[in-house]
Amino acid sequence: MISLGGLRTRFSMKVTIYRGAKETGGTCIELQSENSRILIDFGLPLVDENREPFDSKKIKNKSKEDLIKSGVLPAIKGLYKDEQPVFDAILLSHPHQDHYGLLSFVNPKIPVYLSQGCKELIKISYYFGQTDCDPKNVEAVTMWQPFKKGNFTITPYLVDHSGFDALAFLIESESKKIFYSGDFRGHGRKSVLFDNILKTPPKNIDYLILEGSMLGRDKGRYHSEKDIENELARVLKNKTNLFFIACSSQNIDRLVSIYRACVKSNRIFVIDPYTALILDKLRKVSTKLPQFDWGKNIRLFFVPNRYTMKMAGDKSLFKFKSAKITYQEIQNIRNQLVVKDSYTTRRIFADKKYLGNSKLIYSMWDGYLPDVKPFWDMHNVPIVKIHSSGHAYVEELQKFVKAINPKYIIPNHTFYPEKFLELFGSKTKIVNDKETFEI
Ligand SMILES: [Zn+2]
Ligand SMILES: [Zn+2]
C-alpha cells in the first residue's frame, strides 16, 4: 500500500503474458501484486518464429542465455537456476509440455503447484526421457480449496481436457479477480465439470484469460468423447479385422473410451508396457481407469522398444507379466484385437505378416497423420478417423463466457485472437506478448 495524504491507495495487479497471447502453446503468464509474483505455466512453444512446428531437440544442451537470445525462454529476472528467486510460486495447469516443458530451467527453490495427476504424468515423462523436468519442489493442490501465496489467493478448479487432471485457476488479489481457463473443453468424459462451472460460475471476475485453440480449426465429425466411444464400439463389432489404434498414451479419456468400446464389442485392447505403467501410476488419482489386471478385455504386448527396455532394466516391467500376450496368441486371435499403435509395434506386425485384413483407427489430431500415413498406405491398410478435440468448441467458449460474465476477456492459447472480438465484442482485450498491463 502507498499512503497518499492519509489515503491508502491500493496497488493494482499487473499481468504479463510472455507467450500465448497470439499463439497456441508455450504458455507463460506472470501476475504481480505488490511484491508478490506468480507464474502460470511455463510451456514449450508448439511453433517457431515462422509458425513451423517447434523442434524441441533444438533446445537440448543450449545455455539459458542462448535460449533467451533466441526467444525460447522469456527474459525474466529471478526465475532461473542461477538467479536469486523472486517468485512466490509457479502454477501448472496440466501435464502437456506446451504448459510445463521449460520448467527444467527454473530455480527449484520456487515451489510448483499442480494436480496429483499432473505430478504423476510429468514424473513418468521424466523417467522415460521425454522431458528434462524433474518435478521436485512440487505440491499437489486440493481442488476448489483456496490457498495463499504472498498477496494472492489461488483456487484451483478441476476442468475437462484431453490432458489428465487439468486445472483452471481463480486468482484473487487486492479485490481484483482473474480467472485463467487453462486448456479445457465441455465434451470430454468429465464434461460435468464444465456444466458445474456454467451452473455455479466464479463471480465478479475482472479478467478472464481464455484459451481459444479451436478458433480457426475444424470441429470434426464427432462431437464428444461419448460419441467416440459409441462409434468405436460400432466399428469394432466387425469381427473380420485386426484393428490398430493410433492415440496418445497420455490421453487418458481416450484410453477409457477405447477400453469401454472393447468391452462393448467383446474385443481385447492390447496396450504397451508404457501405457500400462501410466494407467497403473494413476490409480492413486482415479480407480475408474482401465488397468492391466482387469482381465479379459485388456492385455499387454511387450513391444521391444526403448520404453519397454527401460522398464525391463529396472525390473518395473515384471509387475505386468501376468497380462502379457504372446506372438502365438496374437496369431490365433488377431481379429479380436485392438492394438495400440506405436512405431515399433506396427513394424513388428508387418514383419510377422499380421497386417493382412487390418484397419487403422486414427484417433489423434490430424496434424500428426502425415507421420504415419505412408507406412499404412504402403501396407494397404485403410485408415478410419475417429477423433474429437481436447479443446472447447466455439459454442462452449460462448457458454463459458456467458456464465462467468467477466468484465474483460484476454485471448490466450490461440492463433486467432481477433476472432474473440467477433465472438465477445468490446469485452475482448487483445494484448501482445511481453506487454504488461495493469488491472
Ligand atoms: Zn495447451
Ligand atoms: Zn493441453
Side-chain angles (χ1 to χ4, degrees):
M1 302 285 176
I2 295 172
S3 184
L4 285 173
L7 287 172
R8 279 156 68 85
T9 304
R10 282 190 175 278
F11 277 85
S12 57
M13 187 152 34
K14 287 183 187 156
V15 182
T16 313
I17 297 183
Y18 287 98
R19 185 167 37 228
K22 292 178 178 176
E23 71 185 73
T24 295
T27 302
C28 176
I29 301 165
E30 181 186 331
L31 302 184
Q32 189 173 0
S33 171
E34 221 165 326
N35 292 323
S36 302
R37 292 169 75 179
I38 54 173
L39 204 68
I40 309 174
D41 286 341
F42 200 47
L44 264 180
L46 290 174
V47 294
D48 64 16
E49 61 278 13
N50 303 315
R51 297 253 159 131
E52 296 294 326
F54 183 80
D55 180 5
S56 58
K57 285 187 212 88
K58 277 202 302 205
I59 71 165
K60 282 261 176 224
N61 307 318
K62 287 261 167 65
S63 70
K64 177 196 92 182
E65 285 74 19
D66 282 350
L67 291 170
I68 288 176
K69 217 177 273 171
S70 64
V72 174
L73 287 176
I76 305 174
K77 286 250 178 311
L79 178 66
Y80 298 111
K81 274 182 180 160
D82 57 343
E83 298 167 354
Q84 186 62 32
V86 298
F87 281 84
D88 297 85
I90 295 176
L91 313 178
L92 290 190
S93 63
H94 66 284
H96 279 158
Q97 291 226 25
D98 65 315
H99 295 259
Y100 78 83
L102 293 173
L103 205 60
S104 59
F105 294 95
V106 167
N107 192 320
K109 285 186 189 143
I110 304 171
V112 176
Y113 295 83
L114 37 50
S115 68
Q116 183 66 38
C118 183
K119 182 176 162 184
E120 293 302 326
L121 283 175
I122 296 176
K123 265 162 62 181
I124 292 169
S125 294
Y126 179 73
Y127 167 77
F128 285 111
Q130 297 163 335
T131 176
D132 294 329
C133 308
D134 179 12
K136 286 226 167 82
N137 186 10
V138 298
E139 201 172 310
V141 298
T142 307
M143 304 303 168
W144 302 287
Q145 190 72 58
F147 62 97
K148 276 195 83 82
K149 286 311 289 184
N151 270 3
F152 295 102
T153 304
I154 299 150
T155 311
Y157 280 62
L158 185 64
V159 295
D160 182 28
H161 177 45
S162 53
F164 188 65
D165 229 15
L167 303 175
F169 294 106
L170 169 64
I171 299 152
E172 299 167 81
S173 174
E174 297 282 345
S175 77
K176 297 287 183 194
K177 287 187 181 189
I178 289 185
F179 195 80
Y180 168 65
S181 74
D183 289 5
F184 77 106
R185 61 177 169 180
H187 55 269
R189 303 207 73 92
K190 295 196 193 95
S191 59
V192 63
L193 297 168
F194 176 75
D195 298 338
N196 286 346
I197 288 184
L198 299 190
K199 270 183 239 155
T200 48
K203 295 230 165 69
N204 304 319
I205 298 299
D206 294 289
Y207 280 75
L208 170 63
I209 303 175
L210 180 64
E211 80 120 310
S213 319
M214 285 306 284
L215 300 178
R217 261 200 219 173
D218 189 19
K219 191 173 154 181
R221 209 168 135 197
Y222 302 102
H223 180 82
S224 69
E225 205 57 41
K226 195 82 202 148
D227 295 339
I228 298 296
E229 180 186 327
N230 292 337
E231 180 60 10
L232 284 172
R234 192 188 68 76
V235 168
L236 295 176
K237 282 201 174 119
N238 172 354
K239 282 293 154 59
T240 57
N241 299 107
L242 160 71
F243 283 96
F244 261 76
I245 190 153
C247 63
S248 161
S249 293
Q250 297 206 4
N251 184 342
I252 307 303
D253 267 20
R254 190 57 46 85
L255 295 177
V256 173
S257 300
I258 299 165
Y259 175 77
R260 288 171 62 97
C262 283
V263 172
K264 283 183 183 172
S265 58
N266 205 15
R267 278 182 175 267
I268 300 164
F269 188 17
V270 181
I271 57 176
D272 45 34
Y274 165 63
T275 310
L277 180 91
I278 288 172
L279 291 166
D280 185 50
K281 294 279 182 194
L282 295 180
R283 270 183 221 256
K284 63 177 85 156
V285 185
S286 169
T287 54
K288 293 179 184 161
L289 308 180
Q291 298 294 346
F292 73 96
D293 51 6
W294 274 18
K296 68 184 180 65
N297 293 102
I298 192 162
R299 299 288 295 278
L300 258 72
F301 175 55
F302 278 25
V303 53
N305 61 11
R306 71 179 177 90
Y307 290 2
T308 309
M309 296 309 167
K310 166 107 183 146
M311 290 169 66
D314 66 14
K315 310 265 191 300
S316 57
L317 186 63
F318 185 75
K319 178 175 188 177
F320 303 98
K321 219 173 146 214
S322 61
K324 182 180 172 179
I325 191 165
T326 64
Y327 284 106
Q328 191 59 55
E329 284 177 289
I330 292 171
Q331 201 155 24
N332 293 345
I333 54 169
R334 273 195 314 149
N335 63 347
Q336 297 171 34
L337 308 181
V338 179
V339 180
K340 163 122 187 22
D341 181 39
S342 82
Y343 179 89
T344 311
T345 307
R346 71 180 88 105
R347 275 163 182 79
I348 289 174
F349 274 60
D351 285 349
K352 297 261 182 196
K353 309 254 180 301
Y354 292 162
L355 290 185
N357 213 17
S358 294
K359 279 186 180 170
L360 171 74
I361 298 171
Y362 186 77
S363 197
M364 305 171 84
W365 178 52
D366 259 354
Y368 301 131
L369 186 57
D371 299 343
V372 300
K373 196 171 181 306
F375 174 90
W376 298 107
D377 285 351
M378 191 170 80
H379 291 90
N380 295 314
V381 173
I383 299 174
V384 187
K385 285 198 229 171
I386 306 178
H387 182 56
S388 75
S389 175
H391 298 276
Y393 301 132
V394 171
E395 62 267 28
E396 291 168 341
L397 294 176
Q398 285 171 314
K399 282 183 192 168
F400 197 73
V401 165
K402 197 174 169 210
I404 294 178
N405 192 24
K407 286 200 190 95
Y408 295 101
I409 299 161
I410 300 168
N412 186 243
H413 205 278
T414 182
F415 289 114
Y416 299 96
E418 66 284 354
K419 285 193 191 289
F420 277 66
L421 281 169
E422 292 167 31
L423 291 171
F424 308 118
S426 59
K427 278 183 182 248
T428 308
K429 189 177 158 73
I430 298 178
V431 299
N432 293 311
D433 281 350
K434 308 187 194 85
E435 180 182 286
T436 299
F437 59 96
E438 294 192 14
I439 67 170

